């Protein structure tokens, strides 16, 4: 509304101005929330990339530990048996963790009562 208005504008003009103001407000809110969503998505992408690198290096460390275990056991029980022992232990641990993960996912997918 204009400054110093004495209140004698037609009602149609006031509603038109209200509609224009509401449209401008909605457009500004849309732009704000769009930019907020883009910023959050970029932050999430960066976190996912860092998490992927962390998993990559953790996997490399586990491979190094497994190779070290085979090398440490090989003189005592032979290379083939050492590889089998480390492989079986690794598969058992993988199965346990996989089963625990599956149980949690299944519990999350059950409908709430």
């Amino acid at each position: 509304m204009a400054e110093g208005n004495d209140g004698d504008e037609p009602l149609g003009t006031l509603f038109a101005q209200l509609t224009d103001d509401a449209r401008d407000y909605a457009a500004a809110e849309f732009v704000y929330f769009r930019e907020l969503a883009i910023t959050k998505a970029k932050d999430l992408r960066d976190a996912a990339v860092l998490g992927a690198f962390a998993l990559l290096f953790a996997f490399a460390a586990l491979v190094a530990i497994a190779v070290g275990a085979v090398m440490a056991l090989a003189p005592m029980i032979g290379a083939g048996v050492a590889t089998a022992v480390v492989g079986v232990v690794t598969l058992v641990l993988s199965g346990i963790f996989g089963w625990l993960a599956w149980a949690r996912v299944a519990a999350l997918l059950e409908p709430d009562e």
Side-chain angles (χ1 to χ4, degrees):
M1 272 177 128
E3 294 294 323
N5 187 2
D6 57 2
D8 57 354
E9 285 189 36
L11 192 56
T13 303
L14 292 175
F15 277 121
Q17 186 176 1
L18 177 66
T19 305
D20 290 341
D21 290 346
R23 187 177 298 119
D24 292 343
Y25 177 76
E29 285 290 312
F30 175 77
V31 169
Y32 169 74
F33 283 110
R34 180 178 176 269
E35 291 300 319
L36 183 64
I38 289 171
T39 300
K40 295 290 183 183
K42 286 179 181 178
D43 291 344
L44 182 61
R45 179 203 59 203
D46 293 344
V49 168
L50 291 173
F53 277 116
L55 287 173
L56 176 74
F57 285 114
F59 181 72
L62 288 174
V63 169
I65 290 169
V67 169
V70 170
M71 290 175 65
L73 289 174
M76 294 181 265
I77 59 176
V81 176
T83 302
V85 167
V86 171
V88 168
V89 169
T90 304
L91 287 174
V92 167
L93 288 173
S94 175
I96 290 170
F97 287 126
W99 178 78
L100 290 172
W102 179 259
R104 287 187 181 207
V105 169
L108 287 174
L109 295 177
E110 288 180 3
D112 293 334
E113 292 181 26

